[in-house]
Amino acid sequence: MKIDFRSDTVTVPGQGMFEAMMKAKVGDDVFGEDPSINELEGMTASMFGMEAALYCPSGTMTNQIAINCHTRPGDEVICDESSHVYQYEGGGIARNSGSSVKLLTGDRGRITADQVLAAINPDDPHRAWTRLVSLENTSNRGGGSCYDFNEIKKIGALCKEKNLGFHLDGARLWNALVAKQETPKQYGEVFDSISVCLSKSLGCPVGSLLLGKKEFIHRARRVRKAFGGGMRQAGFLAAAGIYALQHNIERLSDDHAHAKTIAASLEGKSFTEYVLPVETNIIIFQLKAGQSAPALVTKLKEYDIWAYAIAPDRVRLVLHLDITPEMVTKTVEVLSGM
Ligand SMILES: *Cc1c(COP(=O)(O)O)cnc(C)c1O
């Protein structure tokens, strides 16, 4: 029994999702004629109370399109130093949009309004023009940490006052919504643009959506074409997204409970220095001095438990749709014996 905790992207469609995909009505989406994509975009936009949505192949693309629409070359983007938009998108902010970044040191990926205020450049010709603030919720490198929504509102108000764009990388926003009992509409009210992924915790094979005002998404659609993301009969994939929004959100609380169970069995182990607080579906633990993350990952693999060494001394486990209660039980047993 392979137990794959490397990422929540490893899921494969189950029977229900697969049948929905096979039955999808499709058309050419570059002509705006794919009924399944149109339905998914409309449904997601109304979930968030936002005007429009754009279906894209990846969360990297939705983030990068958003950054491109918010900025001009030479502008500056404020984000946490660990954020996906900076660390894991191939230098895309510079490559695609010619913008620079101002990196802040947040608390497990979360930055504050005070930090943002201090990071805004003065209106001085020497300085880059601060144009955009990008948050990540939940934070991947932060171990699935969630923002306090009041802080998000404060940053949102600051962005309005200073005329900055406000973007959310919500690859795993679904997990935050379930964990904190928040609503998508709360988020739609404060952000100018939101990226959400369907291929992470919701279990789709492919797909992300960018949300925003009509005019913003109109421009985003042009950028998507230029980035090579205009797909044709991709309604087969969008149908998986519709299925996931209807069936796979509430069950995320199971993943969160599983993560807490496994994290508890890691506490106090001879190799564990500490486990980052588990708020959602991600467990990150720090190893004691002298312990090697790749060696531990290799050892776990002997039991067919797959984990990911995110640093020489840090291991990550991610819970998802394809991890069953039996797999969690087996993992706890293996860890107890280690
Ligand atoms: C996975 C992820 C993305 C997007 O990744 P893709 O693999 O391009 O879909 C964006 N932000 C965060 C925080 C992520 O974890």
Side-chain angles (χ1 to χ4, degrees), residues 75-264:
D75 288 351
E76 195 159 89
V77 178
I78 295 175
C79 60
D80 181 83
E81 63 191 357
S82 71
S83 54
H84 196 279
V85 292
Y86 174 69
Q87 294 282 359
Y88 303 115
E89 300 190 359
I93 297 176
R95 176 188 280 254
N96 300 320
S97 300
S99 284
S100 60
V101 287
K102 175 137 341 155
L103 301 175
L104 304 180
T105 303
D107 167 31
R108 283 188 289 127
R110 298 162 299 186
I111 57 177
T112 65
D114 288 344
Q115 283 182 297
V116 171
L117 178 61
I120 298 170
N121 288 335
D123 185 5
D124 169 342
H126 293 89
R127 311 297 301 271
W129 194 25
T130 306
R131 223 14 247 132
L132 177 67
V133 175
S134 180
L135 305 187
E136 185 175 311
N137 199 23
T138 68
S139 162
N140 181 353
R141 291 290 290 201
S145 54
C146 302
Y147 266 90
D148 173 349
F149 194 75
N150 287 320
E151 199 61 40
I152 292 181
K153 279 206 292 201
K154 274 202 221 163
I155 301 172
L158 179 63
C159 288
K160 266 219 170 66
E161 185 196 323
K162 303 288 185 185
N163 202 22
L164 307 180
F166 193 31
H167 175 70
L168 175 66
D169 175 358
R172 295 188 183 81
L173 181 59
W174 316 108
N175 296 86
L177 295 177
V178 168
K180 307 273 283 186
Q181 303 194 328
E182 295 163 343
T183 66
K185 288 202 170 67
Q186 279 176 259
Y187 283 82
E189 273 171 21
V190 295
F191 285 96
D192 297 315
S193 56
I194 299 178
S195 159
V196 289
C197 288
L198 303 167
S199 58
K200 295 265 168 81
S201 45
L202 296 195
C204 291
V206 171
S208 291
L209 288 136
L210 179 62
L211 299 144
K213 287 219 159 38
K214 260 209 182 81
E215 190 269 340
F216 183 87
I217 295 299
H218 180 73
R219 282 192 293 132
R221 203 172 285 279
R222 298 184 71 100
V223 177
R224 184 185 68 173
K225 192 77 185 84
F227 283 3
M231 298 186 286
R232 303 295 178 173
Q233 288 73 22
F236 293 114
L237 300 170
I242 294 168
Y243 180 91
L245 291 178
Q246 288 165 342
H247 297 91
N248 293 349
I249 297 180
E250 276 164 37
R251 62 152 303 284
L252 292 174
S253 54
D254 298 344
D255 295 344
H256 301 171
H258 287 160
K260 287 202 167 77
T261 303
I262 294 170

